[in-house]
Amino acid sequence: MTHSRYKEWRSKQIERDLQYVPEKLTEEKDYLLNQAELVRNSGSPYRQDPWNVFDWIGYVAMFITSICVLTCLYIGETHSEAYKYFALWTSRLMCITIIIVWFKLFKYVRVYSFLGPFVVILVNTIHDIMKICFVFVVFFVPTVAVFYHFYNNPDAEGQYFAGVRETIFTVFRMLLVDDYGYEDMVDMEVEVIDPKTNTIVTLKPEVSWTDFLVSYWLLMGAIIILNLFIALMSDTFQRVFDNAAEVALLERATIICNIENNLPGNKKRAFLRYLKEKCAPLEAYYDDDDEDEDDDDVKKFTEQTFELVKTVQSDLQDWKSDVLTEVKSAVTEQVTSQQREIGKLQETVRHLTRVLEAQTGFKRGVGRSEKRSRSGPRSGEDKR
């Protein structure tokens, strides 16, 4: 399926899903609309892979080199002067092509866990180089202009500051703390025009000024810029190398998907049929009697885990017994205090009961005496 057909199929699928989305589910609708926009703006996966672009650069370089070599063979028989000039540039182009072709080897070794992370680090380093190049150009261009203005000597051909090209290369050599002709800079004489007499005057820059310019560029270039670039690469290395196995698997999956997408129709169908019949489910030989280093590592890890579990269980058992002892003692003390309170309440109830019984007996005796006093006269009158 080509990318255009995939975009058409995916767009129809999203439009079909939009018909069944309720109006209240605005988030679902926004998600589908966002997916539709991504599908419309998506490009071909083959063009988006930088390695495929690098492949085409190599193909074009090899094609141009082959044409140039054939042209040199034709020119060499009839035009000797043109042959020398053209052969020189053909050799240079051939050297560049050899470098590009050898760099293509990184595309196929990135699937291995041993070399894959380093290839990814090299690719990500390109972004770091682009970042540091801007800072480098900001410092490099004015420094070249200053050195060319003070130490340019057109008469000394092949010297450090004989021209613009020599000055640029010399300032770059200073960045690497290479030989940059410090003695020649100190002994250099500069010709300037005197505005008063309108004549050319020969001046010699002071040693302190030369030392200042050299120290400034060594400080900014060799110390700050280079160390900043090393720090950027170290961060990229640490970020990628921490996930080395995952990066290698991701690169392997990317290559497998690219190969599968580029297969012809009949080969792709045969490959899918093979996966269905032979690899789903995967059948692999296994013998539990075989022991290797991996089994030893697993056993060692299992024993360590078992010992750790036993230690945790013993600690939990001790903690449980201590907690139970504390809880039992606390409950016993609470029950004992409650029993004391209940005993005090029972004693109070008994005391109150005795008091009430005593008061009740007293009232009963008084009542009986009154009844007797009243019943005595009435009985006498009756007798009378």
Side-chain angles (χ1 to χ4, degrees):
M1 179 184 294
T2 61
H3 186 66
S4 59
R5 292 177 60 187
Y6 167 76
K7 291 174 64 175
E8 183 180 357
W9 169 79
R10 182 58 180 161
S11 300
K12 291 180 180 180
Q13 191 179 36
I14 294 174
E15 292 176 359
R16 183 198 61 189
D17 294 340
L18 282 172
Q19 297 176 358
Y20 300 100
V21 176
E23 296 181 357
K24 295 182 179 180
L25 298 178
T26 56
E27 295 180 356
E28 183 71 18
K29 185 176 181 180
D30 294 340
Y31 171 76
L32 292 175
L33 292 176
N34 187 23
Q35 290 295 315
E37 185 69 20
L38 291 176
V39 171
R40 285 194 297 268
N41 296 332
S42 64
S44 176
Y46 183 83
R47 299 176 183 175
Q48 294 177 355
D49 190 358
W51 288 106
N52 295 329
V53 178
F54 190 78
D55 284 343
W56 278 104
I57 293 175
Y59 299 149
V60 172
M62 287 188 290
F63 177 76
I64 295 176
T65 303
S66 302
I67 296 298
C68 291
V69 170
L70 295 176
T71 305
C72 287
L73 294 176
Y74 173 76
I75 295 177
E77 299 178 357
T78 55
H79 306 84
S80 59
E81 294 296 332
Y83 170 77
K84 294 179 181 180
Y85 183 78
F86 197 80
L88 177 63
W89 282 99
T90 301
S91 301
R92 295 173 180 175
L93 180 61
M94 188 179 298
C95 295
I96 296 174
T97 304
I98 291 173
I99 295 174
I100 294 175
V101 171
W102 272 95
F103 279 173
K104 287 181 60 178
L105 185 63
F106 288 128
K107 178 181 179 180
Y108 303 101
V109 301
R110 61 193 175 118
V111 299
Y112 301 102
S113 58
F114 181 71
L115 297 173
F118 293 98
V119 177
V120 177
I121 290 171
L122 290 175
V123 175
N124 292 334
T125 304
I126 298 175
H127 301 284
D128 297 335
I129 293 174
M130 294 176 63
K131 294 177 184 178
I132 205 67
C133 277
F134 174 76
V135 181
F136 178 74
V137 168
V138 170
F139 287 99
F140 185 74
V141 173
T143 304
V144 171
V146 170
F147 276 96
Y148 181 78
H149 176 71
F150 280 98
Y151 304 106
N152 178 33
N153 187 9
D155 297 333
E157 297 183 359
Q159 296 298 322
Y160 297 101
F161 301 95
V164 177
R165 182 179 62 83
E166 291 81 1
T167 304
I168 292 175
F169 188 67
T170 302
V171 175
F172 183 76
R173 291 175 64 181
M174 292 173 64
L175 181 67
L176 303 177
V177 198
D178 194 5
D179 184 19
Y180 48 87
Y182 177 77
E183 293 79 5
D184 296 339
M185 295 169 62
V186 174
D187 299 334
M188 181 75 66
E189 293 182 354
V190 182
E191 294 181 353
V192 297
I193 299 177
D194 188 359
K196 296 181 179 180
T197 60
N198 199 16
T199 58
I200 297 176
V201 181
T202 302
L203 299 177
K204 186 177 182 179
E206 297 180 359
V207 178
S208 59
W209 175 249
T210 303
D211 294 342
F212 169 75
L213 290 179
V214 173
S215 301
Y216 160 77
W217 180 236
L218 290 177
L219 175 65
M220 299 304 299
I223 298 177
I224 296 179
I225 296 178
L226 284 182
N227 283 279
L228 181 61
F229 181 53
I230 293 171
L232 286 174
M233 290 193 299
S234 299
D235 180 70
T236 302
F237 176 83
Q238 188 66 34
R239 186 175 63 255
V240 176
F241 199 75
D242 288 342
N243 303 316
E246 292 80 0
V247 169
L249 291 176
L250 179 61
E251 294 297 328
R252 185 179 302 177
T254 303
I255 288 183
I256 292 174
C257 292
N258 291 335
I259 294 174
E260 184 178 352
N261 292 331
N262 295 327
L263 285 175
N266 54 351
K267 291 187 178 181
K268 182 181 290 187
R269 286 191 293 269
F271 175 68
L272 295 176
R273 190 182 304 109
Y274 174 80
L275 291 178
K276 181 179 179 181
E277 296 176 356
K278 302 295 183 180
C279 304
L282 176 63
E283 297 179 0
Y285 174 75
Y286 173 73
D287 187 2
D288 55 356
D289 295 333
D290 294 338
E291 294 183 357
D292 51 7
E293 295 181 357
D294 295 337
D295 294 337
D296 295 337
D297 295 338
V298 172
K299 288 181 180 180
K300 184 177 179 180
F301 178 74
T302 304
E303 292 175 357
Q304 293 176 353
T305 305
F306 182 71
E307 292 294 333
L308 180 61
V309 170
K310 288 181 62 178
T311 304
V312 172
Q313 287 179 349
S314 62
D315 294 340
L316 288 176
Q317 190 67 27
D318 297 338
W319 176 79
K320 183 179 179 181
S321 61
D322 295 338
V323 171
L324 287 175
T325 304
E326 294 178 359
V327 171
K328 285 180 180 180
S329 62
V331 170
T332 303
E333 292 178 359
Q334 190 71 18
V335 169
T336 304
S337 63
Q338 293 294 332
Q339 288 177 352
R340 293 197 192 101
E341 295 293 333
I342 292 172
K344 291 179 181 180
L345 290 175
Q346 288 177 351
E347 186 67 27
T348 304
V349 169
R350 285 195 295 268
H351 177 69
L352 292 175
T353 303
R354 289 195 296 268
V355 172
L356 289 174
E357 288 178 353
Q359 291 181 357
T360 305
F362 176 75
K363 288 182 179 180
R364 287 178 181 177
V366 173
R368 289 176 183 176
S369 63
E370 288 180 355
K371 286 181 180 181
R372 288 176 183 176
S373 62
R374 290 177 182 176
S375 62
R378 286 181 181 176
S379 61
E381 291 179 356
D382 294 338
K383 289 180 181 181
R384 290 178 185 178

